[in-house]
Amino acid sequence: VQEEKPMKKKSSKKIRIGSLIILFLVTGIVGLGFANGFRDKDRGDGHFRFMLNKVADELNLTEQQKTEVNKIKDEIKAKMDEKKKNRQDHAAEFEQMFRSDTFDKQKMLDFAKMRETNREEMRTFMVDEMAKFHALLTPDQRNKAADLMKEHRDKMCKFKDGPKGPGRDKDKMF
């Protein structure tokens, strides 16, 4: 009769430990899903659109300015969606080129040149959108926006520096 109790205790202990492990795994998986959803909600449309959202919320914009900012956001979102599709197509094309039996160096160089052209087009587009946003703001709003951008940049640099060393060059915009 005494040997049954230790067996029950061991069995009960295993069940509790197993339940805790399952609980931690489920919590971790749900937490990661939530974190990815949270990150994608704000960052999915690019850094400038993210900054535009954060900064514009704190500038006390007029209704007209809000309308214009929303137009800029929509233009950026449309461009980012278009480019996302292109990036996915290009990634598949690159994969196919790499899988082929022979490596076509010229085709790869042409592919790289096309990607660089796309990046330059996007960079020009974003600078144009920045210029539109800048033109909407009063001098006081531009100063406040610059202060908010600096504050955000400083926070991100501290976050990125972390224990593994320096992150991005905080003076580099592009």
Side-chain angles (χ1 to χ4, degrees):
V1 175
Q2 273 185 318
E3 287 195 24
E4 273 187 42
K5 283 188 176 182
M7 288 298 271
K8 281 187 176 183
K9 278 188 174 183
K10 284 184 181 179
S11 178
S12 172
K13 202 177 215 180
K14 284 182 182 179
I15 290 173
R16 277 189 250 143
I17 290 172
S19 297
L20 280 174
I21 290 171
I22 290 172
L23 178 67
F24 282 124
L25 286 174
V26 169
T27 303
I29 291 169
V30 169
L32 284 173
F34 174 76
N36 282 335
F38 179 74
R39 182 190 72 226
D40 293 344
K41 177 183 74 139
D42 282 335
R43 298 278 328 254
D45 298 323
H47 183 71
F48 178 64
R49 191 163 188 269
F50 170 77
M51 285 298 295
L52 191 62
N53 281 331
K54 294 293 181 193
V55 170
D57 286 346
E58 297 189 34
L59 292 181
N60 299 322
L61 300 175
T62 66
E63 287 305 313
Q64 177 63 31
Q65 286 174 316
K66 287 178 186 177
T67 301
E68 293 300 318
V69 166
N70 285 331
K71 283 181 191 176
I72 293 170
K73 288 179 190 178
D74 291 344
E75 289 171 6
I76 293 170
K77 179 157 179 42
K79 187 73 154 185
M80 295 296 284
D81 288 346
E82 171 193 328
K83 292 296 179 182
K84 182 177 181 180
K85 173 72 172 118
N86 289 343
R87 279 192 312 274
Q88 290 169 343
D89 292 346
H90 295 154
E93 183 181 346
F94 177 81
E95 182 184 327
Q96 283 307 114
M97 285 192 290
F98 203 80
R99 286 181 188 275
S100 69
D101 293 335
T102 59
F103 186 81
D104 187 340
K105 185 177 176 180
Q106 187 57 49
K107 192 172 182 182
M108 194 60 74
L109 288 170
D110 292 342
F111 182 78
K113 193 179 290 185
M114 183 228 9
R115 288 198 56 184
E116 189 55 40
T117 300
N118 286 341
R119 278 193 201 114
E120 186 57 37
E121 175 192 324
M122 194 63 183
R123 186 176 294 123
T124 301
F125 170 77
M126 294 305 283
V127 168
D128 290 344
E129 296 303 300
M130 247 188 271
K132 288 179 192 176
F133 181 60
H134 181 271
L136 288 173
L137 302 177
T138 66
D140 287 341
Q141 288 172 326
R142 282 195 295 271
N143 286 327
K144 185 171 182 180
D147 291 342
L148 290 167
M149 287 179 207
K150 181 184 183 321
E151 181 183 311
H152 177 72
R153 184 184 71 222
D154 290 347
K155 270 191 222 174
M156 292 309 295
C157 286
K158 283 180 188 175
F159 173 74
K160 288 180 182 178
D161 286 349
K164 294 186 179 181
R168 283 187 170 162
D169 179 1
K170 62 180 161 183
D171 294 327
K172 184 178 176 185
M173 177 120 180
F174 293 102

